[in-house]
Amino acid sequence: MDEPSDCAAPVPGFDTLAVRAGGLRSNFAEHSEALFLTSSFVFENAAQAAHRFAANGEGYVYSRFSNPTVAMFQNRLAALEGAEACLATASGMSAIFSCCMGVLRAGDHLVSSQSIFGATVQLFAVVLARFGITTTFVPSDDPAAWARAVQPNTRMLYVETPSNPLTEIADIAALKVVARAAGAVLVVDNCFCSPALQQPLRLGADVVIHSATKYLDGQGRVLGGAILGGKTFIQDQIAPVLRTAGPSLSPFNAWVLLKGLETLGIRMERQCANALVLARWLSAHPAIERVFHPGLESHPQHALAMAQQSSGGAIVSFNVRGLGDVELRERAWRVVDGCRILSITANLGDTKTTITHPATTTHARVSPEARAAAGIGEGLLRIAVGLENVADLRADLTRGLG
Ligand SMILES: *Cc1c(COP(=O)(O)O)cnc(C)c1O
């Protein structure tokens, strides 16, 4: 297979990379990327088979190890994140799990933001704990708290920025200083921004994690994940875990994601623009108490967000006004139930706008006290803004807001 010759410009821009980077072309000279649905690859003779097995990664052997369609997705995403290397996984959670398996061992400790994806909290606090790996959870926006939480056995710092659903911003460069002093790896889950808005490796992160299920696919079709970082780190610490444990990305899903990346920049641009318009409109609405969106000047970390990200992102959360939990839930649910266009679902990153009531869905398993401490009340709603006309989204929300 050859690299298409039209992808050889010295420093192509983001959108050029999104459309062309990592492309491989077979002998049939297909224009669009080919889908290699094959579990194994054949050898010309016994000697070549022996060589492929010995060479460890050179040439294709078996799709649990590597596959040309998966390789195209990995190489394209690596180009977009500015990473030396990328390995794809079956889901975002398997990327996080495999990263932990590659970096940590029994007796190690990790410091994590407390505002992270619910399944990641469970993975750290329940699953890893069974194998003797302990976690301290700290506020994402307080670097001093991270430094205080470090122990002699701390090997990993883990953060999502902006956080879900309140869009708190973690200072990646400040956390890098804490990680360096601790001799720990700084891992950033870049799901909410995607490389179109934020490239954590350029801000000091060692490793980037993706749930490709969200903005990278962008159309709610397939699950996928990725781990990105330095070549040696990926080759020596992550690849052996993935080859052996086998949470491999299906070539079909890789092909869908590869095509998703081609429109990432333009989708994010429009979805973020829609989100900002909606956030400003919601801020001025009398039925709403507070809006959370990093693109608003009223966001407490607006300046930091704008330094790390090229825009505020496509997530908008807000508190409806009301007195007491019963009334707040009733008013929030009225907004949800008034929607005819917005989808009532917890997924995000889709071209279709989604609306979620975190207190009774994504964060329902969290205790009421912990929810209150995290600022996730009964009046909070989260919208992941898509590509519909903003006027239609506004009309949809107006029905329930009164
Ligand atoms: C969805 C999500 C994940 C998990 O990804 P899956 O593809 O569902 O396994 C991890 N982190 C964040 C921030 C997410 O939104």
Side-chain angles (χ1 to χ4, degrees):
M1 304 233 305
D2 304 321
E3 292 277 334
S5 58
D6 52 4
C7 130
V11 191
F14 185 90
D15 292 323
T16 306
L17 292 172
V19 173
R20 294 188 178 264
L24 298 167
R25 196 164 279 159
S26 78
N27 294 339
F28 294 113
E30 67 281 357
H31 185 211
S32 180
E33 294 77 0
L35 170 49
F36 290 91
L37 277 183
T38 177
S39 46
S40 73
F41 298 83
V42 292
F43 313 112
E44 282 170 21
N45 48 49
Q48 189 189 49
H51 179 73
R52 289 264 173 96
F53 270 82
N56 196 7
E58 231 194 85
Y60 295 100
V61 173
Y62 188 57
S63 287
R64 169 149 47 80
F65 311 156
S66 57
N67 171 284
T69 310
V70 176
M72 286 190 261
F73 169 65
Q74 292 173 161
N75 293 338
R76 185 165 295 175
L77 186 58
L80 297 182
E81 284 285 2
E84 284 176 9
C86 170
L87 285 174
T89 57
S91 66
M93 287 318 301
S94 59
I96 299 168
F97 181 65
S98 304
C99 181
C100 291
M101 289 298 100
V103 173
L104 304 170
R105 60 192 63 222
D108 283 351
H109 172 249
L110 74 107
V111 183
S112 169
S113 161
Q114 64 196 17
S115 317
I116 55 172
F117 191 63
T120 315
V121 175
Q122 297 297 311
L123 174 68
F124 293 169
V126 180
V127 180
L128 294 188
R130 284 203 280 117
F131 296 89
I133 296 164
T134 51
T135 306
T136 306
F137 292 97
V138 294
S140 67
D141 54 0
D142 180 3
W146 289 75
R148 281 196 303 274
V150 167
Q151 303 174 5
N153 56 342
T154 303
R155 293 284 167 269
M156 183 189 284
L157 269 55
Y158 188 94
V159 71
E160 273 170 35
T161 180
S163 75
N164 174 28
L166 295 178
T167 72
E168 300 149 328
I169 307 294
D171 186 336
I172 295 173
L175 294 185
K176 173 195 176 174
V177 174
V178 177
R180 287 294 169 282
V185 175
L186 175 59
V187 180
V188 177
D189 181 333
N190 200 28
C191 173
F192 273 59
C193 277
S194 91
L197 306 190
Q198 171 173 273
Q199 292 153 355
L201 297 172
R202 299 204 159 107
L203 298 165
D206 299 300
V207 180
V208 163
I209 294 285
H210 271 291
S211 166
T213 315
K214 313 295 168 53
Y215 291 103
L216 304 189
D217 173 359
Q219 288 151 82
R221 298 165 295 190
V222 300
L223 293 176
I227 309 166
L228 300 106
K231 197 169 177 194
T232 318
F233 170 79
I234 295 290
Q235 257 172 17
D236 297 352
Q237 284 181 266
I238 304 301
V241 172
L242 293 184
R243 283 176 70 98
T244 315
S248 322
L249 180 64
S250 126
F252 178 79
N253 288 7
W255 180 79
V256 172
L257 295 170
L258 194 56
K259 302 317 267 179
L261 289 182
E262 294 185 4
T263 56
L264 178 64
I266 193 167
R267 278 189 284 109
M268 289 308 280
E269 195 175 306
R270 177 65 74 85
Q271 287 178 231
C272 294
N274 286 355
L276 189 58
V277 172
L278 216 53
R280 289 199 202 290
W281 173 74
L282 289 165
S283 301
H285 198 288
I288 285 165
E289 185 186 70
R290 185 169 170 198
V291 179
F292 305 86
H293 180 70
L296 292 176
E297 292 75 10
S298 60
H299 189 286
Q301 296 160 291
H302 176 66
L304 174 60
M306 291 304 103
Q308 290 190 160
Q309 309 171 201
S310 59
S311 91
I315 306 288
V316 180
S317 295
F318 58 95
N319 282 319
V320 296
R321 283 187 201 281
L323 281 177
D325 282 350
V326 174
E327 184 174 280
L328 284 170
R329 179 186 292 195
E330 196 245 320
R331 290 191 177 175
W333 280 19
R334 197 189 305 156
V335 177
V336 173
D337 292 340
C339 290
R340 291 172 200 164
I341 293 176
L342 276 74
S343 313
I344 308 171
T345 173
N347 195 32
L348 62 97
D350 201 312
T351 53
K352 296 179 171 70
T353 301
T354 64
I355 186 163
T356 312
H357 183 243
T360 50
T361 58
T362 54
H363 292 70
R365 280 196 294 170
V366 180
S367 71
E369 300 75 38
R371 265 205 308 274
I376 299 166
E378 291 287 345
L380 185 73
L381 290 168
R382 186 198 75 190
I383 298 179
V385 183
L387 287 179
E388 302 93 337
N389 291 100
V390 184
D392 294 327
L393 299 178
R394 263 195 312 247
D396 220 30
L397 291 165
T398 299
R399 214 171 288 118
L401 283 171

